[in-house]
Amino acid sequence: MRTIAHISDLHFGRLDAPVAEGLIADLAGRKPDLLVVSGDLTQRARRRQYADAMAFLKRLPSPQLVVPGNHDIPMFNMAARFFTPVRKYRQMVTRDLRPVYEDEQMLVIGLNSARSFTRISGWLNREQMAFAEARFAAAKGKFKVLVTHHPFFPPPRRPDANVIRGGEKYLAALSAVEVDLVLSGHLHLAYHDDLRSHFKASRRGVLSIQAGTATSTRRRGEPNAYNWITVSPQLCTVAVRAWAGKAFEESLVTRYESDESGWHKIQQVPIDQVGAEVMSDVNKQ
């Protein structure tokens, strides 16, 4: 069994400071095997924002796997945006745009889906996919996880939301190398489902898990939240831990089981009363 703390969309520059401190406190009492950060560490890719984000990440558990998001590319400096889009990210976060975590049970690969030529959208190129396919193919018998900033499909409540371009064309490759999970953020909406429910041509189930914004004031009608994910062969539990005003609390737990036909939801514990009240208050804002 392995545990992953999945946070996303920190947006330093639009930070809710009490929530950020609450996240530090919540994770201090937990020991994930891996902390995944699926992009948008900053609001405008400024050096000060990167410095603050890195100081924050140093207070969170390790090991960590981090990928950039579209907000981690300069917005207004056109020369930097098109010629050196991830220079600050590589200087201040990591030079590795294909980070890999591997242990005896799990292989996790991060890929950069942020692109200079679009303000919001993202995609993966053939070189990135070839790298991931080769590493996943060699990891026989391990639980396999891909991390991108942009999700592969929108949640039902936002069917028009911006997602990764050409997501369906990647599915055959992901299925062939037996990827189990795809972790992403970007939309600031917590959601998870089997890719097969959206892309009928997919031959193998891949569970897509999207995280809300962990610490930003840029909430989209939901409280700040992150995912606590437990994985083992053919099993995955996703617990959404949401900000309840003074601390993060477990608000929704979903358990999935996989077989040859894909992932199947076997149990879902509804949002508790505290979580429901928080969401109600947020939706009124």
Side-chain angles (χ1 to χ4, degrees), residues 42-252:
T42 69
Q43 177 64 15
R44 285 290 173 252
R46 298 191 173 110
R47 190 167 294 274
R48 179 72 258 173
Q49 294 172 3
Y50 271 122
D52 290 343
M54 292 311 297
F56 175 76
L57 291 182
K58 287 179 180 178
R59 299 174 65 189
L60 298 182
S62 294
Q64 300 179 1
L65 185 146
V66 186
V67 297
N70 55 294
H71 278 264
D72 298 321
I73 291 176
M75 171 68 77
F76 303 112
N77 184 336
M78 292 296 105
R81 181 173 183 82
F82 290 106
F83 295 106
T84 57
V86 290
R87 182 178 63 182
K88 290 179 186 174
Y89 178 89
R90 296 188 73 186
Q91 288 175 341
M92 304 188 72
V93 182
T94 174
R95 297 192 63 80
D96 192 356
L97 298 179
R98 299 172 179 173
V100 175
Y101 170 84
E102 186 170 13
D103 62 23
E104 295 82 3
Q105 298 182 30
M106 178 171 69
L107 172 63
V108 185
I109 297 176
L111 296 179
N112 173 28
S113 61
R115 294 291 180 261
S116 300
F117 293 93
T118 175
R119 186 173 63 87
I120 299 176
S121 298
W123 59 86
L124 303 175
N125 61 37
R126 184 60 236 169
E127 184 181 6
Q128 289 174 302
M129 286 300 298
F131 169 81
E133 289 169 43
R135 289 298 301 264
F136 282 131
K140 301 296 184 182
K142 293 188 178 183
F143 201 96
K144 303 172 185 179
V145 183
L146 175 67
V147 182
T148 62
H149 177 61
H150 295 82
F152 278 64
F153 55 76
R157 57 194 180 280
R158 282 287 308 280
D160 60 338
N162 189 276
V163 296
I164 201 165
R165 289 185 183 178
E168 189 166 9
K169 71 183 180 183
Y170 306 128
L171 294 184
L174 296 179
S175 296
V177 293
E178 300 181 336
V179 170
D180 296 290
L181 303 183
V182 176
L183 306 184
S184 59
H186 184 55
L187 301 179
H188 298 200
L189 299 171
Y191 180 61
H192 35 87
D193 199 357
D194 190 326
L195 288 173
R196 289 175 63 113
S197 66
H198 296 260
F199 302 113
K200 304 303 182 183
S202 178
R203 293 177 298 173
R204 183 180 183 275
V206 180
L207 185 59
S208 172
I209 301 177
Q210 302 171 22
T213 172
T215 58
S216 172
T217 59
R218 302 177 73 245
R219 295 176 284 266
R220 306 277 169 79
E222 292 188 2
N224 295 98
Y226 76 95
N227 296 321
W228 181 263
I229 303 167
T230 304
V231 300
S232 57
Q234 287 78 53
L235 292 171
C236 178
T237 300
V238 185
V240 178
R241 295 188 62 80
W243 180 248
K246 295 183 178 180
F248 280 87
E249 298 182 0
E250 201 163 84
S251 63
L252 183 69

